[in-house]
Amino acid sequence: MRILSGIQPSGKLHIGNYFGMMKPALELQEKGEAFLFIADYHALTTSKDPAELKQNTTDVALDFLACGLDPTRTTFFRQSDIPRLLELTWMLSTITPLGLLERCHSYKDKVAKGITPTHALFSYPVLMAADILAYQSNIVPVGRDQKQHLEVTRDLAIKFNNEYGDIFTIPEASIQESVAVVPGIDGQKMSKSYDNHILLFDGKKATKKRIMKIITDSKELEDPKDPDTCNVYLLYKLFAEEQKVAEMADNLRKGGYGYGHAKKQLFEDLWEYMTPFRENREKLEQDLDYVNDVLIDGAKRASKVADKTFDAAKKAIGL
Ligand code: ADP
Ligand code: TRP
């Protein structure tokens, strides 16, 4: 079973990325042959600063390696180190109905947020389909917001296979429903574009400050509170031990336990949970050559698989 996912290097990663995508992807590396890439071509649809793009790519590589990505098991690489991907993107573009792209929420959402509506932004899902199909992926772990892109990928794969023969494996999305949407400090989906995120690797003070800002209702200390509508509890539930989660829920329901208490507990336990990862990251930052070597080696391994698909698709389509 081949498992593939990609992440855009569009800024420092937050705990929504971690619980929604990284952690499930890292767990899947135990279950099959894992491929993970940094989607720098995709990032070009929104990032206009070359130095920042480079720095973000390094940051994402560091974040994944620090959080437990094992490069001997997972093929870890930069999307742009596989330039033939753009050949496949073009081939897929020729069978992509415009209406299919016009229906994509992600494009509309990005334009509504003020991102320039370029051709690349519009055809983003076709490049994503090429990513997935190039490696004959079976399972694609992503957050719920990417589900529609997976549906586009499946439609394109089926259409291409029907027209030109069985070239592509039909992939499936793997969405962990329990952590599908990690709330931000304002209770909306955590996203760096809403500035409601808690970074994975930030200073102690900064992390605490963010957590203390989590929006809660206006219940008083002694009032009983509903854990299921409490953003602090919802974040705590993502990583704390079962017994501690149950304790926090109990405390909230009983009353006499304020949101400030819950936030303090969330901060302390999150900080401890991240400590081994933070130590790994500090070490890796001192050895960026190693990080680069990992990505180059990953690209070599990825090319071996993808080249077969590119050759087969070209031949099938008549090139
Ligand atoms: P952002 O919204 O901060 O820009 P991205 O869109 O770059 O994050 O998301 C990268 C990956 O992390 C995707 O697979 C996405 O589904 C997942 N992800 C991002 N935010 C969340 C969240 N709040 N909850 C769950 N998964 C998320
Ligand atoms: N679009 C994805 C995101 O924004 C990143 C991505 C690009 C991806 N290509 C992919 C994810 C292929 C999974 C598979 O999060």
Side-chain angles (χ1 to χ4, degrees), residues 5-8 10 12-22 113 141-146 179-184 188-194 197:
S5 199
I7 183 146
Q8 284 199 59
S10 38
K12 289 200 160 63
L13 296 181
H14 54 68
I15 63 174
N17 300 133
Y18 178 74
F19 291 105
M21 187 267 185
M22 283 172 93
K113 270 191 232 155
V142 282
R144 197 185 291 158
D145 59 335
Q146 297 295 316
V179 290
V181 177
V182 176
Q188 288 191 72
K189 175 193 173 231
M190 185 176 292
S191 168
K192 59 190 166 286
S193 43
Y194 303 151
H197 53 298

Side-chain angles (χ1 to χ4, degrees), residues 7 65 135 142 161 188 190 212 279:
I7 183 146
L65 292 168
Y135 307 100
V142 282
N161 283 355
Q188 288 191 72
M190 185 176 292
M212 294 322 268
E279 288 170 0

Side-chain angles (χ1 to χ4, degrees), residues 44-282:
L44 281 178
T45 58
T46 48
S47 164
K48 297 294 167 231
D49 180 335
E52 191 180 271
L53 179 59
K54 238 186 155 83
Q55 183 58 47
N56 286 344
T57 302
T58 305
D59 275 330
V60 173
L62 284 167
D63 286 351
F64 269 93
L65 292 168
C67 290
L69 183 138
D70 174 356
T72 63
R73 300 176 67 177
T74 296
T75 302
F76 186 38
F77 58 103
R78 270 181 294 250
Q79 184 184 35
S80 63
D81 283 337
I82 315 293
R84 287 192 71 194
L85 188 66
L86 301 176
E87 267 188 279
L88 182 58
T89 306
W90 184 252
M91 288 186 257
L92 292 172
S93 288
T94 65
I95 59 148
T96 306
L98 220 52
L100 195 66
L101 299 181
E102 277 164 354
R103 283 195 291 277
C104 285
H105 310 300
S106 164
Y107 172 74
K108 291 183 229 167
D109 292 350
K110 287 176 182 169
V111 173
K113 270 191 232 155
I115 297 172
T116 315
T118 58
H119 173 244
L121 191 70
F122 186 65
S123 61
Y124 181 112
V126 187
L127 176 59
M128 180 155 165
D131 285 326
I132 296 168
L133 302 177
Y135 307 100
Q136 308 287 351
S137 318
N138 305 101
I139 304 284
V140 184
V142 282
R144 197 185 291 158
D145 59 335
Q146 297 295 316
K147 197 170 165 220
Q148 193 181 32
H149 289 158
L150 260 293
E151 281 156 15
V152 170
T153 303
R154 287 167 58 92
D155 281 359
L156 296 184
I158 292 167
K159 192 154 189 253
F160 193 99
N161 283 355
N162 282 342
E163 283 183 36
Y164 300 111
D166 257 349
I167 305 294
F168 301 124
T169 303
I170 311 300
E172 265 175 55
S174 158
I175 297 162
Q176 287 215 341
E177 290 301 333
S178 62
V179 290
V181 177
V182 176
I185 60 173
D186 59 356
Q188 288 191 72
K189 175 193 173 231
M190 185 176 292
S191 168
K192 59 190 166 286
S193 43
Y194 303 151
D195 193 24
N196 63 355
H197 53 298
I198 299 171
L199 290 176
L200 262 185
F201 299 106
D202 206 348
K204 200 167 181 171
K205 262 199 181 148
T207 305
K208 190 166 185 181
K209 210 168 148 194
R210 278 312 255 187
I211 289 180
M212 294 322 268
K213 274 199 191 150
I214 296 174
I215 292 178
T216 53
D217 59 32
S218 54
K219 291 208 169 79
E220 301 289 339
L221 175 79
E222 59 278 4
D223 292 338
K225 302 168 186 72
D226 178 7
D228 294 321
T229 58
C230 170
N231 293 321
V232 185
Y233 173 77
L234 295 177
L235 289 170
Y236 194 61
K237 227 168 88 166
L238 291 169
F239 67 90
E241 286 162 25
E242 222 174 294
Q243 191 212 332
K244 293 188 104 181
V245 174
E247 251 171 50
M248 186 184 280
D250 255 11
N251 285 334
L252 286 165
R253 283 197 197 98
K254 269 197 316 230
Y257 178 84
Y259 290 123
H261 293 126
K263 287 177 184 178
K264 195 162 169 275
Q265 175 117 37
L266 171 65
F267 165 69
E268 280 167 8
D269 291 2
L270 181 66
W271 190 257
E272 193 184 311
Y273 180 87
M274 293 304 301
T275 295
F277 301 152
R278 198 166 37 247
E279 288 170 0
N280 289 341
R281 201 184 196 280
E282 281 160 13

